[in-house]
Amino acid sequence: MTDEDLRAAVESFVDDVDLALHEYEEGYADADATLTVVQSHLADLREVVEEDGSE
């Protein structure tokens, strides 16, 4: 995995979490749903980082 791939994964994570938090702030999602979304994206990011470390 290249630095560019890792950077893209981090940017995607930040964008997705920002969207989830925005939806929560606007009242479109409750706290539990928002936290579930954030945890899911965090798990995806961890997976990418772990893959990067195994090279």
Side-chain angles (χ1 to χ4, degrees), residues 41-55:
H41 292 305
L42 183 56
D44 292 344
L45 182 60
R46 276 192 184 122
E47 184 177 316
V48 170
V49 170
E50 288 173 0
E51 287 173 5
D52 185 53
S54 67
E55 289 185 8

Side-chain angles (χ1 to χ4, degrees), residues 15-48:
D15 290 344
D16 292 342
V17 169
D18 280 345
L19 178 59
L21 293 174
H22 175 75
E23 289 177 350
Y24 171 74
E25 290 169 357
E26 293 296 316
Y28 301 133
D30 66 17
D32 289 335
T34 302
L35 189 54
T36 298
V37 169
V38 170
Q39 289 172 325
S40 173
H41 292 305
L42 183 56
D44 292 344
L45 182 60
R46 276 192 184 122
E47 184 177 316
V48 170

